[in-house]
Amino acid sequence: MLGYGIALTAIVVAAFYWLFVRPRRQLERLARIPVPMDWIEQLRAQMALYRRLPPIRRARLHTHMRVLLERVEFYGCAGLELTEPMKVLIAAHGALLINQLSPDYYHKLQSILVYPGAYRVSQSQQDGPVLHFDDQDRLGESWQQGKLVLAWDTLIREAGDNSSRSNVALHEFAHQLDQVDGAADGAPPLASGEVAQHWQQVFSEAWERRRRHSGGNSIIDEYGATSPAEFFAVATEAFFLHPALLASQEPELYDCMAGFYRLDPRDWHDGDATRPTPLTANT
């Protein structure tokens, strides 16, 4: 029994180290490493949301971005040569969502596949006893098995556009947060049962409103009406891209999002607005 107790203690200690101590030490180590100036200049030029960030938010983004670059494997697909600046821009969007959270929210994420543009996938649909197959063009996907797929030309165009109403990188990384608990249901990990209950009520009501009023002037893309998971992803896009408008149209929804992300993007202003912002798809 003594040996069993020692072995059990060793397992608990090891688990505590890998779950809590090691990630914290990794963050502390990466936070001490200066970010290359060319990364900063690149993000200022290519990422409108980065230009809005206050200094403390930028510092945390740099650290979390390094964690993603260190942990995740990036792959260029369909002949795309994936460069370091491309990886930096992608990781920066993922890091933005967890600016006030932990990089361990992406603990399942193992690989990011990047296509030059829209890519085709074959999808099956069951119609009674008949199974149909059709090809669809896609700009991004998020898999619970730890894979994220992005279309580069759309990503870089939306990233640099200060007035864009969509952002494929934010959308797919939001799906990863939603899938942390294993279910793509529009409910990311929340602080308590009480918070989860309030979240469900607010999100359900907002989703139903979006389903009933397709089109219109809602800042939440109508694609969000297709499922709770898509609603969370497009609501995340609206939360970061046009926070004041989302707060005006859906105040309770905005408060829920701000509570989860622990951020209030309404307070952010474009500190680099006077800087040139060249865009290029040949980074």
Side-chain angles (χ1 to χ4, degrees):
M1 291 296 294
L2 179 59
Y4 174 79
I6 294 174
L8 182 60
T9 301
I11 292 172
V12 172
V13 170
F16 181 83
Y17 174 81
W18 283 97
L19 290 174
F20 301 103
V21 178
R22 183 175 179 271
R24 185 169 63 249
R25 288 182 177 177
Q26 183 185 38
L27 280 177
E28 292 171 352
R29 174 177 61 83
L30 293 175
R32 290 193 295 268
I33 303 175
V35 174
M37 184 55 64
D38 58 340
W39 288 12
I40 295 175
E41 290 301 319
Q42 175 204 345
L43 293 176
R44 283 173 170 166
Q46 294 181 335
M47 186 174 174
L49 286 170
Y50 182 84
R51 295 193 292 271
R52 299 180 196 172
L53 290 178
I56 189 171
R57 300 277 74 83
R58 290 188 183 186
R60 289 185 63 87
L61 181 141
H62 296 160
T63 300
H64 293 339
M65 181 177 67
R66 281 191 177 277
V67 173
L68 280 173
L69 290 170
E70 189 168 290
R71 291 183 181 178
V72 178
E73 295 291 336
F74 289 77
Y75 300 94
C77 303
L80 179 67
E81 181 180 351
L82 203 56
T83 64
E84 180 181 84
M86 295 166 77
K87 297 177 186 179
V88 166
L89 183 60
I90 294 168
H93 283 82
L96 177 62
L97 296 193
I98 58 168
N99 195 278
Q100 281 289 86
L101 304 174
S102 165
D104 289 327
Y105 273 74
Y106 294 132
H107 74 278
K108 292 183 179 180
L109 182 59
Q110 299 175 356
S111 58
I112 296 177
L113 284 63
V114 188
Y115 283 84
Y119 56 95
R120 307 211 80 182
V121 297
S122 181
Q123 183 169 335
S124 62
Q125 290 185 337
Q126 190 78 38
D127 183 12
V130 180
L131 188 63
H132 297 282
F133 291 90
D134 66 288
D135 291 337
Q136 294 182 348
D137 289 335
R138 294 187 179 177
L139 301 176
E141 293 176 86
S142 177
W143 295 78
Q144 294 183 26
Q145 294 83 357
K147 182 173 68 175
L148 192 148
V149 189
L150 297 165
W152 175 249
D153 60 353
T154 299
L155 186 153
I156 192 169
R157 173 175 52 81
E158 293 178 336
D161 184 355
N162 200 48
S163 61
S164 178
R165 294 171 70 99
S166 61
N167 186 297
V168 66
L170 295 182
H171 186 103
E172 301 306 336
F173 275 109
H175 278 314
Q176 285 291 312
L177 298 181
D178 182 14
Q179 295 163 356
V180 166
D181 60 1
D185 55 6
L190 298 167
S192 67
E194 182 179 353
V195 173
Q197 185 176 11
H198 179 64
W199 177 283
Q200 182 178 9
Q201 178 184 346
V202 171
F203 262 68
S204 295
E205 293 174 355
W207 181 46
E208 287 297 332
R209 280 192 292 273
R210 195 65 188 94
R211 292 178 65 191
R212 290 195 303 267
H213 304 288
S214 60
N217 63 350
S218 174
I219 189 57
I220 301 175
D221 190 275
E222 60 183 341
Y223 184 56
T226 58
S227 72
E230 296 301 342
F231 186 78
F232 172 67
V234 298
T236 292
E237 293 178 77
F239 177 76
F240 283 97
L241 296 174
H242 298 283
L245 190 52
L246 179 64
S248 173
Q249 294 182 355
E250 291 283 356
E252 286 189 293
L253 175 63
Y254 185 89
D255 288 344
C256 280
M257 302 288 286
F260 168 66
Y261 286 113
R262 304 177 192 171
L263 295 168
D264 189 350
R266 290 175 299 182
D267 296 335
W268 302 349
H269 304 285
D270 196 339
D272 296 326
T274 59
R275 301 177 61 87
T277 57
L279 298 180
T280 173
N282 300 310
T283 306

